[in-house]
Amino acid sequence: MTVSITGYRTRGLRPVLFIITAAVLLAKPSEQGLFYDQSVGAQMNPLGLAVDSRILYRIPLGKPGNILFESTKIDVGFQNLFTPADDLMALYCTIEPIAVFDVTARVGFLELFKLLGFGFIRLSGPTARYDGDATSGITQEHHAGLWASIAPRVKIQVWNFILAHTLTVNYFDMFITNYYFERHTDSVHRGTDFDINNDSYLFYKISDLLMVGANNFCLNVPSTGYVSDRVSAMLVFTPTLPCFYDLYAVIMAGSFVVDHYYVGKLYLAAMVGFTIKMF
């Protein structure tokens, strides 16, 4: 949380939580059962904090021993993504028909609250400023809306190199006709709108404990012409403990090459998470 009047920003954090969990598990055979996944992430420039909790049931589609199909699966679950600005409660489904491709669909209820000073902010138009000085005099609201997304992903592992790319289309309906400050993407959106994220990762697996990599995250909001592009380096730690199905930690550092407010500024992010198999 930040006490700055510039507000609460979470751009880029949600995609990081999604792709890293999957990238760590890229070549792991699927196991049927009920799983619980918990992760906490934070970032600077823009400031952000997110607590991501998921419970899912996994149904394997392939058989062990075939590298193209042993990780195939269907995951059906519930996600709660909490930040100091809002809370997303969503149902989601991931289908992985082959090891090199999967697609995830989500639909949920997004509630924005002003209790901590990061409420819903209406804006005058697509080019309206939304920095601290511009929004300090705007009344913040408690507001709710709908959010849905579809995210196909391609992932390839060659020797110790892992390449993954996700194209995510997010749909928002805040039940208003004017524009507003969408805090998850740190950009201006229409009341009913969509945006497009291109998220690319290249990892090199040094050992079972450590991967290094690079990330390029690009956000595009067609209705306003907004574009943001960030490049980062990464360290991914994957220790093994008998009480966890998976355990992981991520550190990122980079900068924005295109953005309204953060070009050239240092971007930092960190995340820790675990998965346990309930039965």
Side-chain angles (χ1 to χ4, degrees), residues 15-66:
V16 168
L17 297 177
F18 169 70
I19 188 71
I20 290 300
T21 304
V24 169
L25 306 179
L26 191 58
K28 192 164 188 172
S30 294
E31 296 182 23
Q32 185 164 347
L34 187 68
F35 294 83
Y36 174 72
D37 185 89
Q38 181 67 62
S39 57
V40 179
Q43 65 181 27
M44 181 185 77
N45 287 334
L47 285 171
L49 173 69
V51 180
D52 193 3
S53 306
R54 308 184 191 196
I55 186 167
L56 63 98
Y57 189 78
R58 175 167 297 163
I59 304 172
L61 298 179
K63 295 182 178 180
N66 188 319

Side-chain angles (χ1 to χ4, degrees), residues 58-275:
R58 175 167 297 163
I59 304 172
L61 298 179
K63 295 182 178 180
N66 188 319
I67 191 172
L68 285 177
F69 297 103
E70 64 180 3
S71 66
T72 59
K73 60 185 178 291
I74 296 176
D75 288 346
V76 180
F78 173 79
Q79 177 184 16
N80 185 82
L81 180 64
F82 175 83
T83 79
D86 55 31
D87 188 38
L88 170 69
M89 295 171 285
L91 298 175
Y92 72 94
C93 177
T94 298
I95 301 176
E96 182 177 323
I98 192 168
V100 297
F101 175 80
D102 63 40
V103 60
T104 298
R106 288 177 172 82
V107 60
F109 177 78
L110 181 64
E111 184 173 12
L112 298 91
F113 34 82
K114 60 180 182 179
L115 179 63
L116 299 176
F118 310 113
F120 184 79
I121 295 178
R122 299 173 189 259
L123 297 174
S124 58
T127 59
R129 291 176 55 206
Y130 50 90
D131 58 280
D133 292 338
T135 60
S136 60
I138 300 177
T139 301
Q140 299 189 18
E141 307 173 33
H142 183 99
H143 201 83
L146 298 178
W147 173 76
S149 72
I150 186 76
R153 181 170 60 125
V154 176
K155 44 185 181 167
I156 301 172
Q157 181 170 4
V158 179
W159 189 48
N160 286 348
F161 290 95
I162 301 169
L163 177 65
H165 178 78
T166 304
L167 172 66
T168 303
V169 179
N170 296 301
Y171 170 82
F172 304 86
D173 191 347
M174 304 308 295
F175 305 106
I176 62 172
T177 56
N178 54 344
Y179 291 82
Y180 73 101
F181 174 36
E182 206 293 298
R183 293 186 181 273
H184 275 278
T185 57
D186 192 58
S187 62
V188 179
H189 280 55
R190 290 186 304 188
T192 301
D193 209 348
F194 73 96
D195 60 47
I196 302 170
N197 299 338
N198 279 284
D199 210 9
S200 301
Y201 289 83
L202 175 63
F203 296 106
Y204 179 77
K205 186 176 181 181
I206 297 175
S207 67
D208 290 339
L209 177 65
L210 178 65
M211 293 193 297
V212 296
N215 165 240
N216 176 238
F217 176 74
C218 184
L219 166 71
N220 181 20
V221 186
S223 65
T224 64
Y226 179 84
V227 175
S228 180
D229 196 344
R230 187 190 71 225
V231 177
S232 304
M234 306 174 61
L235 287 175
V236 181
F237 302 93
T238 56
T240 301
L241 292 176
C243 54
F244 295 107
Y245 185 78
D246 285 298
L247 182 64
Y248 45 91
V250 182
I251 299 173
M252 298 180 68
S255 185
F256 290 89
V257 294
V258 178
D259 194 80
H260 281 185
Y261 295 108
Y262 294 101
V263 170
K265 293 186 177 180
L266 177 65
Y267 170 82
L268 295 174
M271 185 200 71
V272 294
F274 65 85
T275 304

